[in-house]
Amino acid sequence: SAVISQKPSRDICQRGTSLTIQCQVDSQVTMMFWYRQQPGQSLTLIATANQGSEATYESGFVIDKFPISRPNLTFSTLTVSNMSPEDSSIYLCSVVRGFYNEQFFGPGTRLTVL
Amino acid sequence: GDSVTQMEGPVTLSEEAFLTINCTYTATGYPSLFWYVQYPGEGLQLLLKATKADDKGSNKGFEATYRKETTSFHLEKGSVQVSDSAVYFCALSDQENFVFGPGTRLSVLP
């Protein structure tokens, strides 16, 4: 398994501001993933973050809106920029472990944009 | 591309009832299959997995069998408890992609 922590656990933000979410893993991993879970919905992959290279974004997500940093093998940040109420979601980071690519998730960051 | 379909919720059961949550998948290769659980206010936890045909994953009284012939991975529990109330996600991994189903909300009433 993996122990993953996220900060903050929740936040309420004003429209037009930005929030940076931190994700810390208990041991080194090659790839880290950022997901969005809108209210009552399943998970949508935002991007994959590899250490030492640009993040790879999924269709519908762009770097200007969701810049990601991956400064080392145990840490990543996701910034939600110029927020609007539509960005209100749970944001989850995850890592893959094991031969069968099991994903392990952080506890999530619950964002509310007013 | 790969996809996962789950039965629509919400599912409401009385305590000690039998639970089945259906999951079917579409994949070109031989994916690994997973069930994740999300308790209220928490992140996703891996509940169980199966990595090849006819494998049975089990944990906390939950079971699911990898059925390649029907491309299914149905989740079952013989006697649910109030504490099992959560959202359950079926998922697959094929080494390149990780695909989640839409989730099924389970409510267990005392």
Side-chain angles (χ1 to χ4, degrees):
Chain A
S1 66
V3 177
I4 305 172
S5 60
Q6 285 185 235
K7 291 181 181 179
S9 59
R10 63 178 66 242
D11 208 341
I12 301 173
C13 300
Q14 296 297 320
R15 180 195 298 261
T17 62
S18 298
L19 176 72
T20 295
I21 302 167
Q22 299 177 10
C23 180
Q24 180 75 51
V25 187
D26 63 338
S27 59
Q28 295 181 347
V29 292
T30 304
M31 292 190 292
M32 296 177 73
F33 304 88
W34 286 99
Y35 286 86
R36 181 175 72 184
Q37 185 181 24
Q38 294 178 302
Q41 302 296 312
S42 186
L43 283 73
T44 301
L45 181 63
I46 297 171
T48 302
N50 291 325
Q51 194 269 335
S53 64
E54 293 276 338
T56 303
Y57 288 83
E58 298 298 307
S59 175
F61 298 96
V62 295
I63 188 172
D64 290 346
K65 175 68 176 177
F66 297 101
I68 288 171
S69 77
R70 183 78 203 275
N72 59 53
L73 290 172
T74 63
F75 187 79
S76 178
T77 67
L78 170 75
T79 299
V80 186
S81 304
N82 188 24
M83 289 184 285
S84 67
E86 293 70 33
D87 294 319
S88 297
S89 292
I90 300 172
Y91 292 86
L92 296 140
C93 67
S94 75
V95 302
V96 169
R97 288 270 171 84
F99 181 79
Y100 299 106
N101 282 354
E102 299 161 57
Q103 284 215 14
F104 296 93
F105 288 84
T109 296
R110 285 151 186 76
L111 171 62
T112 302
V113 183
L114 303 177
Chain B
D2 296 349
S3 66
V4 175
T5 303
Q6 290 179 235
M7 64 187 292
E8 288 192 22
V11 174
T12 302
L13 297 173
S14 298
E15 205 164 23
E16 299 183 2
F18 184 85
L19 168 70
T20 300
I21 300 178
N22 290 338
C23 170
T24 58
Y25 67 92
T26 302
T28 53
Y30 300 93
S32 297
L33 302 175
F34 307 89
W35 277 100
Y36 285 83
V37 58
Q38 186 176 33
Y39 297 104
E42 298 185 12
L44 273 73
Q45 300 176 26
L46 178 63
L47 180 60
L48 54 84
K49 72 175 188 288
T51 59
K52 62 183 186 295
D54 300 324
D55 262 5
K56 178 185 284 187
S58 61
N59 185 25
K60 299 182 180 179
F62 291 89
E63 293 183 341
T65 301
Y66 191 144
R67 301 288 188 199
K68 185 162 173 53
E69 64 277 12
T70 55
T71 62
S72 65
F73 193 54
H74 305 322
L75 182 68
E76 297 182 337
K77 186 174 185 181
S79 176
V80 293
Q81 305 300 311
V82 173
S83 57
D84 294 326
S85 298
V87 180
Y88 292 82
F89 293 93
C90 186
L92 69 81
S93 170
D94 68 358
Q95 300 293 330
E96 290 187 358
N97 300 304
F98 205 104
V99 180
F100 285 90
T104 302
R105 181 175 299 277
L106 170 66
S107 295
V108 180
L109 305 178

